[in-house]
Amino acid sequence: VQLQASGGGSVQAGGSLRLSCVASGRILNIHATGWYRQAPGKERELVASIRNGGIIKYGDLVKGRFSILTDNAKNTVYLQMNSLKPEDTAVYFCNADVDQIDSDDDTGLRFSTVDIWGKGTQVTVSS
């Protein structure tokens, strides 16, 4: 299973960006997906996450400005970022907890639950 993120770029303060992350591979089920970010010299932090059942969490710094959305049919999670600030500048990573199919044959279905990270996408907000 792989995650491919896209949609990063450069924008002026007050602008908007929409990030996308597509999960591909032998996926049986996706339990949770989320976005994290890491700015230079700082630790990786939660931006937003969503679990099965619609439980959503947002980082305190993005509440009211960012929204996480999923399209389950496309195995895609989006991060809509509005009212961007220079302090939102960071590399954004998507993450997922996935049931990955290991084998599916006459002996039955076997899967394992894995925590997957995608490669980051850079978001730069200028003042």
Side-chain angles (χ1 to χ4, degrees), residues 10 27 35 76-77 86 110 122 126:
S10 297
I27 299 168
W35 291 92
T76 301
V77 59
R110 292 179 176 81
Q122 176 71 45
S126 58

Side-chain angles (χ1 to χ4, degrees), residues 50-117:
I50 183 167
R51 297 197 63 86
N52 282 349
I55 300 172
I56 296 175
K57 290 184 179 179
Y58 290 104
D60 290 339
L61 298 177
V62 306
K63 286 180 180 177
R65 300 187 296 122
F66 291 10
S67 298
I68 187 169
L69 308 162
T70 59
D71 185 335
N72 294 330
K74 296 181 180 180
N75 287 339
T76 301
V77 59
Y78 303 96
L79 183 68
Q80 179 65 44
M81 305 185 292
N82 299 326
S83 302
L84 282 161
K85 303 176 181 179
E87 49 264 44
D88 294 319
T89 295
V91 178
Y92 284 69
F93 299 88
C94 59
N95 169 264
D97 290 337
V98 176
D99 288 338
Q100 171 182 274
I101 296 172
D102 296 323
S103 64
D104 186 10
D105 53 31
D106 293 342
T107 66
L109 174 68
R110 292 179 176 81
F111 66 93
S112 54
T113 302
V114 295
D115 184 63
I116 302 293
W117 289 90

